[in-house]
C-alpha cells in the first residue's frame, strides 16, 4: 500500500509542528535567568531563542518520527479499521 503524497505531506507537517512544540522549551534560558531583562519585556521572555537550531532539531526528530509512522502505515501493521472506534461502537463490536 502506498501513501498519497498529499497525505504524506500533511502527516509530516503535523508531526513536525508537534515536534517543534516539544523542542522549543528545551535549553531555554529566560531573560530573568540571564540577568539582562530588556525594557518592555517580561522576565520569562527567552534571552536567546536559537530558532534556527530549534527548527533543525524539529526537522531531524520529526523526520525520524515520520519515517516510523509512515512505515507502520505502509506496512499495514495498523490499519484504519484498528483505530476507527466510532465504527466499532456503532456496529457493537
Amino acid at each position: 500500500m502506498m501513501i498519497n503524497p498529499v497525505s504524506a505531506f500533511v502527516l509530516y507537517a503535523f508531526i513536525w509542528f508537534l515536534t517543534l512544540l516539544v523542542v522549543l522549551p528545551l535549553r531555554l534560558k529566560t531573560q530573568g535567568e540571564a540577568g539582562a531583562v530588556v525594557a518592555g519585556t517580561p522576565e520569562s521572555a527567552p534571552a536567546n531563542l536559537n530558532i534556527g537550531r530549534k527548527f533543525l532539531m524539529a526537522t531531524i526528530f520529526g523526520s525520524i518520527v515520520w519515517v516510523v509512522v509512515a512505515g507502520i502505515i505502509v506496512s499495514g501493521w495498523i490499519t484504519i479499521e484498528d483505530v476507527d472506534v466510532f465504527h466499532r461502537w456503532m456496529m457493537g463490536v
Side-chain angles (χ1 to χ4, degrees):
M1 172 173 56
M2 292 293 296
I3 297 179
N4 181 344
V6 175
S7 299
F9 175 76
V10 169
L11 179 65
Y12 181 77
F14 180 77
I15 290 173
W16 187 86
F17 277 107
L18 283 178
T19 308
L20 179 64
L21 290 175
V22 170
V23 168
L24 276 176
L26 297 178
R27 296 185 180 181
L28 179 68
K29 188 171 186 181
T30 64
Q31 291 180 9
E33 293 170 344
V37 179
V38 177
T41 63
E43 289 184 10
S44 60
N48 188 1
L49 187 57
N50 293 327
I51 196 72
R53 183 177 177 154
K54 305 269 177 146
F55 281 179
L56 180 63
M57 288 174 56
T59 302
I60 292 169
F61 294 133
S63 297
I64 293 168
V65 172
W66 179 80
V67 165
V68 170
V69 171
I72 290 171
I73 292 171
V74 169
S75 73
W77 188 47
I78 296 176
T79 63
I80 192 68
E81 289 81 21
D82 295 330
V83 294
D84 188 7
V85 293
F86 294 114
H87 181 71
R88 288 183 187 186
W89 179 68
M90 296 295 282
M91 299 304 285
V93 176

